[in-house]
Amino acid sequence: MKLSIDHKSAVPLHIQAENLLRELIKDPEYQAGKLLPNEVDLAKILAISRTTLRQAINKLVYEELLIRRKRLGTKVAHKKMSSKSMNWLSFTQEMQARGIPVKNYELHVSWVYPDDYIANFFDIKTEKKIMKLERLRGNTDEAFVYFVSYFHPRIGLTGDEDFKRPLYELLETDHSVVANLSKEEISAKAADKLIAGKLEITPGSPVLFRKRFVFDQGDRPMEYNLGYYKAESFVYTVEARRNS
Amino acid sequence: MKLSIDHKSAVPLHIQAENLLRELIKDPEYQAGKLLPNEVDLAKILAISRTTLRQAINKLVYEELLIRRKRLGTKVAHKKMSSKSMNWLSFTQEMQARGIPVKNYELHVSWVYPDDYIANFFDIKTEKKIMKLERLRGNTDEAFVYFVSYFHPRIGLTGDEDFKRPLYELLETDHSVVANLSKEEISAKAADKLIAGKLEITPGSPVLFRKRFVFDQGDRPMEYNLGYYKAESFVYTVEARRNS
DNA sequence: TATTCATTTATGTTTGTACATAATAATTAT
DNA sequence: ATAATTATTATGTACAAACATAAATGAATA
């Protein structure tokens, strides 16, 4: 890649400048904290206007790859605050997005009588069995989350589905059930014997515990999910903007 | 919030325009697919230049809240889940809403040199001390959360403020700093000796650990907050709805 | 020595202007 | 009727110019 701007190219100048900057900041010198040339000079060097250059820089600033400091200059942003609002991605997709291969350590389907709490949420009777799906998942080295899901009978799951596939994709394509609303409750918990055994930690050590209530398009309950995450292995990110 | 631009305000026009747009696109009409007024007209209406308006629109386009279509116009993008549902309540207000009286077990101000992580977030040098606020809080019976806050020097806190008051109210009324965006990372942790001592639990037992990055109106970092919640005493709720 | 003040410098904000381009709508030619 | 052509219209790109502002630096002052 050549580090100059081609004014005759069909590629917009600010795009060229952006790409050029992306290359430039890979240089160890800049990674080490060296400042970029100031905007006025750099614009002159690249033979584009400062406005156009700023357009390119802005993009990288948005991406938190560059940091501007008034009077000092612009430099490479080191450890960027990762704020990937993971929220609606499935576990599999989220892991894949981070480049971590997902492995199923356990995958177990059973049919159980719902307890009062679940029956109440689903608004069903306790006399009829519903499907329970247990999944122990992690990367290739270790399991770090234990999921327990219960599904509303309305969906019509048989238990023969391929649960290695992303769950919400399966429900949407094969059962026409679309998750529309999720309410979650996150707390810390001490692992009991069962959970400790699954995650291979000592009983009493901390886990991140997540209850998830999932509703479909008609706001009808469709899934009740419990997740036990090994501490340190999982961070839940939430982004909120004031709206008022 | 008034939907007009104040040319006399100290708040930059493009920021005002950005906020205004955020409000505007909440209108069901726009949510339903109506196009925004075209840039030239809208700029005229708001009495700002098209360039300035584009600056604001660009931000929302980058956030994937708006979609531009050449020749067609700009409209609200509805596709992803909006995970933005946090409670903008402060701890005090939240507790009061639940009818639990808040008590401060400890309230301690100190001035410390920021470590690399904090300096990086605030984008400041490590040589200059910043204010650190420690608060141990709970109900009348027991303390169940330990907060550590660091504030950006820009805010100009002296340390003599009345921190028994709700924090964000204090910052807003007395220092004209408004929290606008917060990014949080929630995880489970084992309590170390310090935390265990504060919360009066045995070291190693679980706590809900929450990092909070708070930004002001200009999206500039203003507070870095750490919260250690005694397990079982606190549940974090998140509601996410797909808007398509 | 410590504090205050002015200077410097790079980014931050804003406007006005002009032309390019993609996609649609309207028109014309086959 | 269909295809090709031509407006039309909104965004896209690009420049120049000017002034504002935050923060570091160094000079003047208490």
Side-chain angles (χ1 to χ4, degrees), chain A residues 62-64 67-69 75 79 81-83 85 87-88 172 178-190 204 206-208 219 231-232 234-244, chain B residues 22 26 59 62-63 81 83-84 86 88 117 120-121 123-124 172 178-190 204 206-208 213 219 231-232 234-242:
Chain A
Y62 282 144
E63 290 180 27
E64 297 181 21
I67 289 189
R68 296 183 138 122
R69 294 181 65 164
K75 64 170 183 178
K79 290 184 182 179
M81 222 61 71
S82 85
S83 59
S85 58
N87 271 300
W88 204 247
E172 201 164 332
V178 181
N180 188 50
L181 170 67
S182 110
K183 295 183 184 180
E184 299 180 310
E185 295 178 3
I186 299 140
S187 58
K189 241 190 169 170
V207 290
L208 187 71
D219 280 350
E232 314 288 324
F234 206 78
V235 176
Y236 201 89
T237 67
V238 181
E239 191 173 320
R241 179 166 248 115
R242 164 182 255 164
N243 32 228
S244 90
Chain B
R22 283 189 200 281
K26 279 183 197 149
K59 194 107 172 266
Y62 179 78
E63 287 181 27
M81 220 35 136
S83 57
K84 335 214 158 177
M86 95 161 259
W88 264 106
Y117 185 79
N120 180 54
F121 171 58
D123 195 23
I124 56 173
E172 200 165 332
V178 181
N180 188 50
L181 171 68
S182 109
K183 296 182 184 180
E184 299 182 310
E185 296 178 3
I186 298 140
S187 58
K189 240 189 170 172
V207 290
L208 187 70
F213 307 91
D219 281 351
E232 313 290 324
F234 205 79
V235 176
Y236 201 91
T237 65
V238 180
E239 192 174 317
R241 184 181 288 276
R242 168 184 259 158

Side-chain angles (χ1 to χ4, degrees), chain A residues 91 133-137 145-149 210 225-229:
Chain A
F91 183 76
L133 173 64
E134 291 166 276
R135 289 176 296 173
L136 182 62
R137 320 189 79 182
V145 59
Y146 176 61
F147 283 127
V148 182
S149 285
R210 184 183 77 174
N225 176 274
L226 305 174
Y228 302 85
Y229 297 85

